[in-house]
Amino acid sequence: MIKVAVSGCAGRMGTAVVGAVNAAEDMELACGIDPNAKGDLDIPVYATIADALANKEFDVLVDFTQPNVVEGNLREALPAGVDCVVGTTGLSNEKLEELAELAPAGTCLFYAPNFTTGAVLMMQFAKAAAPFFPEAEVIELHHCNKKDAPSGTAVRTAQIIADARGFESAAPGKETEMPGMEGARGTFVDGVPVHSVRSMGFVASQEVVFGSLGQTLTIRHDSWDRQSYMPGVLLGIRSVGEREGLVVGLETFMD
């Protein structure tokens, strides 16, 4: 039985994770961590990771909190030998590597910018297409309460495209932006333009648009319900005990 703690248990994603862990026959929900919890969960809930570690034993910490919170949580959990499954975006690869160094041997820090199987496949399809199209742009669309832009999925997708194609785009960049209208071409991640949309009505969507002479290829993934993330979260929880160090991307476990 895998004992799981959920950080951010009172949030939208955290609430879904609590339900998924409770429904899994091979898992036990040890506790929640969330200073904003109202006390309506049927499990012990602590305000901080330190409080949880002092009062409960758990094998895996699942973190769906905020970009300004997740680093502190990992600095507490990893040195204690707790495997971490992180869906909170906003940490750079360099920061993830630094945090992973805090963990003793046999402990895993697993970070996934997206836990939906469809989004992972979208990134793999983009990787396959990238060498064949001279131009590529990423457009990500999320709900208006998302705290970071661009999304972790968009950043990861752009990095994958850049690594796979091995050349620089010749498309117009920021030098074409009109004075006072900077940002029209989006931000550039490893040379790939990334555009962020924030609006009510979206949960999480992303398009990757490829172009070459006389044709375009669009790959799109839409998630309308947070339940779409849960199979990937459970896969992460079940898999981290077999790994150590830093692991990035759900595709690592899907393989």
Side-chain angles (χ1 to χ4, degrees), residues 56-146:
K56 283 288 181 179
E57 292 185 3
F58 44 92
D59 307 304
V60 178
L61 173 71
V62 179
D63 190 292
F64 280 96
T65 55
Q66 302 291 340
N68 63 339
V69 173
V70 59
E71 180 180 348
N73 289 347
L74 297 178
R75 289 190 180 278
E76 292 280 355
L78 288 169
V82 176
D83 293 322
C84 295
V85 173
V86 179
T88 307
T89 57
L91 294 176
S92 67
N93 289 338
E94 292 76 17
K95 181 60 68 175
L96 288 167
E97 291 169 357
E98 174 192 333
L99 292 169
E101 291 293 325
L102 301 175
T107 302
C108 180
L109 167 55
F110 170 56
Y111 164 73
N114 199 302
F115 280 88
T116 61
T117 53
V120 172
L121 290 170
M122 172 190 61
M123 288 186 272
Q124 295 303 302
F125 298 156
K127 179 179 180 179
F132 301 98
F133 288 85
E135 315 300 352
E137 307 213 6
V138 178
I139 307 165
E140 56 99 347
L141 311 95
H142 281 80
H143 57 89
C144 56
N145 293 318
K146 186 168 175 59

Side-chain angles (χ1 to χ4, degrees), residues 2-236:
I2 306 171
K3 295 182 179 180
V4 181
V6 179
S7 184
C9 62
R12 295 180 181 89
M13 281 297 295
T15 300
V17 174
V18 166
V21 171
N22 270 329
E25 294 182 355
D26 58 341
M27 299 179 193
E28 175 187 331
L29 187 60
C31 65
I33 301 111
D34 198 318
N36 299 313
K38 303 298 184 182
D40 52 354
L41 297 174
D42 294 329
I43 55 168
V45 179
Y46 302 97
T48 66
I49 298 289
D51 289 341
L53 289 168
N55 288 279
K56 283 288 181 179
E57 292 185 3
F58 44 92
D59 307 304
V60 178
L61 173 71
V62 179
D63 190 292
F64 280 96
T65 55
Q66 302 291 340
N68 63 339
V69 173
V70 59
E71 180 180 348
N73 289 347
L74 297 178
R75 289 190 180 278
E76 292 280 355
L78 288 169
V82 176
D83 293 322
C84 295
V85 173
V86 179
T88 307
T89 57
L91 294 176
S92 67
N93 289 338
E94 292 76 17
K95 181 60 68 175
L96 288 167
E97 291 169 357
E98 174 192 333
L99 292 169
E101 291 293 325
L102 301 175
T107 302
C108 180
L109 167 55
F110 170 56
Y111 164 73
N114 199 302
F115 280 88
T116 61
T117 53
V120 172
L121 290 170
M122 172 190 61
M123 288 186 272
Q124 295 303 302
F125 298 156
K127 179 179 180 179
F132 301 98
F133 288 85
E135 315 300 352
E137 307 213 6
V138 178
I139 307 165
E140 56 99 347
L141 311 95
H142 281 80
H143 57 89
C144 56
N145 293 318
K146 186 168 175 59
K147 301 298 184 182
D148 57 325
S151 70
T153 303
V155 171
R156 177 69 171 157
T157 303
Q159 292 169 339
I160 288 172
I161 291 170
D163 290 342
R165 68 186 181 183
F167 55 81
E168 293 186 7
S169 168
K174 288 189 172 297
E175 72 280 359
T176 64
E177 294 175 343
M178 298 296 291
M181 300 181 184
E182 291 77 11
R185 291 291 291 125
T187 191
F188 281 76
V189 177
D190 292 346
V192 179
V194 177
H195 310 268
S196 297
V197 176
R198 295 290 177 267
S199 177
M200 291 186 291
F202 291 110
V203 175
S205 298
Q206 180 170 293
E207 289 186 6
V208 185
V209 181
F210 291 98
S212 68
L213 187 62
Q215 64 173 333
T216 61
L217 170 66
T218 300
I219 305 168
R220 181 178 174 110
H221 174 257
D222 298 285
S223 177
W224 296 286
D225 193 308
R226 290 173 178 83
Q227 290 302 316
S228 64
Y229 294 80
M230 294 308 106
V233 173
L234 296 181
L235 176 60

